[in-house]
C-alpha cells in the first residue's frame, strides 16, 4: 500500500531566512517549527513562500516574493541564473559568500573533532576559470539540448555560453551540439564530462545506447578537430573505454604530472 501523501502544514505568515544550508538553500522555520528550504534567498530576508514538496522532516519551498531583501543581495551577473541549476548563490555579495564558504569547512572540521580550527584561506573561483563541467544531454523532438539541469529538476537548460566556464570549454558547447545530435547512441539522454587538462579538453561521453561504427567515427573526428587529447565513452554507468587518444591525457598538480582516468574529479579551478 502506498503511503498517503502528507498534507502541507499551513503557512500563516512570511518566513525569515535564518541561514544558508550546505546546498545553498535558505533555511527558515514555519510557526510550528517545521523547517523549510527556500532557493535564491539570503540570511535575514523576509520571504513569502509556496510549499512545493516534502524534504525529510521539512519542506522545499519557492520564494513567491522577497518582502524584505537583505542588504547583501546583489544582481546576479549571469542571465541564466535562477533557471540553470549550476550556480546557486550569485545573488549574494562576495563578503557574505566567502564567510559562508569558509564556515562550511570550519564546521566540517569541528564535526571531525578539530575544535581549534586555523584561519581558512579563501581562494576564489573567478569567472572564466572553471576547468570541469558535467553537461547533461537530452534529445527532444529530434533536437539535442545540451547544458545543465534546471535547479531541482531533471529538465535541461540549453546553454550556449557559461559565465564561470573556462573559455576553452565554453568554446566546445556549440560545436558539440550538432555532433552529438547525429549519434544513434543517444536515444533520450546522455552526459558529457569534460576536464580541461594541460593537454587539452579530456572528454567522457556516457550514452543510453551502444555506439555504432558511424558514431565512433564521428566522435573521433570531433575530438581531432577540437584538440582533445582523449575521448572516452561508456554505456550508462559502465567502465569507460577510450575511443581515441592522440597524446597523453596529462595535467600537472603541484609540479607533478598526473594522468587522470576519464571523468576523474578535479578541483574546479587551477588555483
Amino acid at each position: 500500500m502506498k503511503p498517503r501523501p502528507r498534507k502541507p502544514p499551513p503557512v500563516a505568515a512570511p518566513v525569515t531566512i535564518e541561514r544558508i544550508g550546505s546546498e545553498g538553500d535558505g533555511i527558515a522555520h514555519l510557526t510550528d517549527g517545521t523547517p523549510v528550504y527556500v532557493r535564491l534567498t539570503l540570511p535575514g530576508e523576509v520571504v513569502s513562500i509556496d510549499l512545493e514538496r516534502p524534504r525529510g522532516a521539512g519542506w522545499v519551498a519557492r520564494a513567491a516574493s522577497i518582502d524584505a531583501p537583505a542588504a547583501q543581495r546583489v544582481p546576479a551577473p549571469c542571465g541564466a541564473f535562477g533557471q540553470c541549476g549550476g550556480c546557486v548563490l550569485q545573488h549574494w555579495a562576495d563578503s557574505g559568500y566567502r564567510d559562508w564558504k569558509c564556515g562550511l569547512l570550519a564546521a566540517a572540521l569541528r564535526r571531525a573533532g578539530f575544535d581549534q580550527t586555523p584561519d581558512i584561506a579563501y581562494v576564489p573561483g573567478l569567472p572564466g576559470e572553471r576547468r570541469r563541467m558535467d553537461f547533461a544531454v537530452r534529445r527532444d523532438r529530434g533536437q539535442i539540448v545540451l547544458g545543465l539541469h534546471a535547479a531541482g529538476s531533471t529538465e535541461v537548460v540549453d546553454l550556449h555560453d557559461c559565465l564561470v566556464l573556462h573559455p576553452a570549454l565554453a568554446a566546445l558547447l556549440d560545436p558539440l551540439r550538432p555532433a552529438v545530435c547525429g549519434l544513434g547512441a543517444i536515444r533520450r539522454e546522455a552526459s558529457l564530462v569534460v576536464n580541461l587538462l594541460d593537454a587539452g579538453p579530456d572528454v567522457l561521453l556516457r550514452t543510453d545506447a551502444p555506439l555504432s561504427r558511424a558514431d565512433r567515427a564521428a566522435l573521433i573526428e570531433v575530438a581531432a578537430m577540437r584538440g582533445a587529447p582523449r575521448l572516452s565513452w561508456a554505456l550508462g554507468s559502465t567502465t569507460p573505454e577510450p575511443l581515441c587518444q592522440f597524446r597523453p591525457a596529462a595535467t600537472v598538480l603541484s609540479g607533478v604530472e598526473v594522468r587522470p582516468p576519464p571523468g576523474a574529479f578535479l578541483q574546479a579551478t587551477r588555483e
Side-chain angles (χ1 to χ4, degrees), residues 10-34:
V11 181
V15 298
T16 299
I17 303 300
E18 301 158 13
R19 61 185 178 89
I20 301 298
S22 60
E23 297 181 8
D25 294 337
I27 299 177
H29 289 83
L30 303 179
T31 54
D32 65 357
T34 301

Side-chain angles (χ1 to χ4, degrees), residues 53-167:
R53 63 182 185 278
R55 175 179 164 185
W59 290 84
V60 172
R62 180 183 67 86
S65 64
I66 307 294
D67 303 328
Q72 288 197 325
R73 176 174 285 272
V74 297
C78 177
F81 179 72
Q83 180 186 15
C84 170
C87 297
V88 295
L89 290 169
Q90 286 189 5
H91 60 300
W92 202 355
D94 192 56
S95 59
Y97 176 83
R98 289 183 179 218
D99 291 343
W100 169 76
K101 197 72 172 177
C102 293
L104 291 179
L105 179 56
L109 289 171
R110 287 194 296 271
R111 287 194 299 271
F114 297 92
D115 295 329
Q116 300 298 321
T117 58
D119 291 336
I120 298 171
Y122 178 87
V123 181
L126 300 177
E129 288 190 344
R130 186 176 180 88
R131 62 178 178 174
R132 172 184 170 83
M133 190 64 81
D134 190 345
F135 293 109
V137 182
R138 182 71 53 82
R139 190 179 295 281
D140 183 20
R141 295 185 292 273
Q143 299 297 315
I144 283 291
V145 179
L146 191 157
L148 297 176
H149 285 109
S153 172
T154 59
E155 295 300 313
V156 179
V157 177
D158 201 34
L159 294 180
H160 294 268
D161 196 9
C162 177
L163 179 71
V164 303
L165 200 57
H166 192 285

Side-chain angles (χ1 to χ4, degrees), residues 147-238:
L148 297 176
H149 285 109
S153 172
T154 59
E155 295 300 313
V156 179
V157 177
D158 201 34
L159 294 180
H160 294 268
D161 196 9
C162 177
L163 179 71
V164 303
L165 200 57
H166 192 285
L169 296 188
L172 294 175
L173 282 167
D174 285 340
L176 283 174
R177 190 172 277 102
V180 297
C181 186
L183 298 179
I186 302 178
R187 292 175 180 166
R188 185 172 182 273
E189 59 187 8
S191 70
L192 197 64
V193 179
V194 188
N195 282 328
L196 184 59
L197 308 180
D198 292 341
D202 184 34
V203 181
L204 168 60
L205 174 67
R206 292 186 180 273
T207 66
D208 57 359
L211 290 177
S212 66
R213 182 175 299 178
D215 287 342
R216 291 173 181 265
L219 287 170
I220 291 170
E221 181 179 0
V222 170
M225 291 179 61
R226 306 310 304 181
R230 174 179 63 189
L231 189 148
S232 307
W233 168 77
L235 178 60
S237 59
T238 61

